[in-house]
Amino acid sequence: MSEIYHPLQILADLLTLQEHFASGGNLGSLKGMTVAWVGDGNNILNSWLMAGLKLGMNMRVANPEGYDIRDFVQADAERFSSESGGQFYQTRDPRDAVRGANVIITDTWAGMGQKEEADERLKKFAGYQVTMKLCEEAAKDWVFLHCLPRQENEVTDEVFYSKRSLVFPEAGNRKWTVMAVFLSLLKGHTPTTPEPRH
């Protein structure tokens, strides 16, 4: 995780969606699925743009003015969109972003190192809370993700604790995706440190 990207979180999110949309014992295909992001142009969104668009997913993003996607991330997102066929759309209107979405995601509005900006951010993000009313614009099979920890100003309890919310399986999948990354990195590794003798 860095200020710009958080790839391990997105691996957990993708696994959660594959499990949820699985059918016939096969993991669900994510290509063509529409993901709506409502909130800050942060490291989670950046990682979602990189992964989702590479996989051919449609990414619809709503963030308030001044909390946009970084220019170099946007350039990569546009390139991946044209390469994969996934659509990349930006708006200031959360309803517009959520329209037709299969997945609705938000994250903290004041992340690490931004707590002193919390009051100002709360004002700027007015109208960006994920509510059941907002989710009426989504596809019939919509689900909700949030990487935690969450504040009620970001998403109502009604959405967060609903049957549509996958936040707890998503949190559990962090463990499995981190373990998979470690195994992948250590594949073929031969330890060079001698075993201790007792």
Side-chain angles (χ1 to χ4, degrees):
M1 177 175 79
S2 73
E3 184 181 313
I4 300 171
Y5 296 112
H6 193 345
L8 289 176
Q9 179 62 53
I10 293 355
L11 289 176
D13 293 358
L14 293 171
L15 176 60
T16 304
L17 294 176
Q18 284 188 310
E19 290 173 339
H20 178 77
F21 290 104
S23 63
N26 297 317
L27 288 178
S29 173
L30 304 179
K31 187 175 178 72
M33 188 174 287
T34 299
V35 175
W37 176 271
V38 178
D40 194 10
N42 65 16
N43 59 350
I44 301 291
L45 171 58
N46 295 343
S47 296
W48 254 109
L49 290 170
M50 299 301 98
L53 291 168
K54 281 184 179 182
L55 294 172
M57 299 172 85
N58 303 313
M59 299 296 303
R60 299 176 62 85
V61 177
N63 29 29
E65 192 170 342
Y67 299 90
D68 299 305
I69 301 162
R70 294 172 187 233
D71 291 341
F72 68 92
V73 173
Q74 181 163 336
D76 284 344
E78 290 168 355
R79 181 169 50 88
F80 295 145
S81 172
S82 66
E83 291 172 0
S84 72
Q87 298 174 2
F88 173 44
Y89 177 75
Q90 289 181 275
T91 181
R92 298 282 182 221
D93 183 356
R95 290 170 308 198
D96 193 20
V98 167
R99 193 166 293 119
N102 308 101
V103 183
I104 301 167
I105 308 172
T106 193
D107 189 23
T108 184
W109 294 347
M112 296 179 297
Q114 299 170 328
K115 297 304 179 194
E116 67 282 349
E117 303 170 23
D119 291 340
E120 179 64 24
R121 285 173 168 265
L122 198 56
K123 291 176 195 168
K124 296 280 187 172
F125 283 84
Y128 282 80
Q129 182 187 46
V130 177
T131 64
M132 281 296 186
K133 180 75 174 158
L134 176 64
C135 296
E136 288 175 4
E137 301 287 338
K140 291 182 180 182
D141 65 347
W142 70 270
V143 295
F144 175 76
L145 296 175
H146 190 299
C147 71
L148 305 178
R150 148 282 178 169
Q151 301 294 320
E152 194 172 350
N153 55 15
E154 301 153 3
V155 55
T156 61
D157 284 348
E158 188 180 17
V159 173
F160 188 80
Y161 293 109
S162 75
K163 291 180 180 180
R164 302 287 191 147
S165 176
L166 301 179
V167 295
F168 297 113
E170 175 188 17
N173 279 336
R174 285 283 298 277
K175 173 182 170 181
W176 306 118
T177 52
V178 168
M179 287 172 62
V181 168
F182 275 129
L183 285 172
S184 176
L185 292 172
L186 295 173
K187 186 177 180 180
H189 173 72
T190 304
T192 57
T193 305
E195 283 188 41
R197 296 180 188 212
H198 301 294

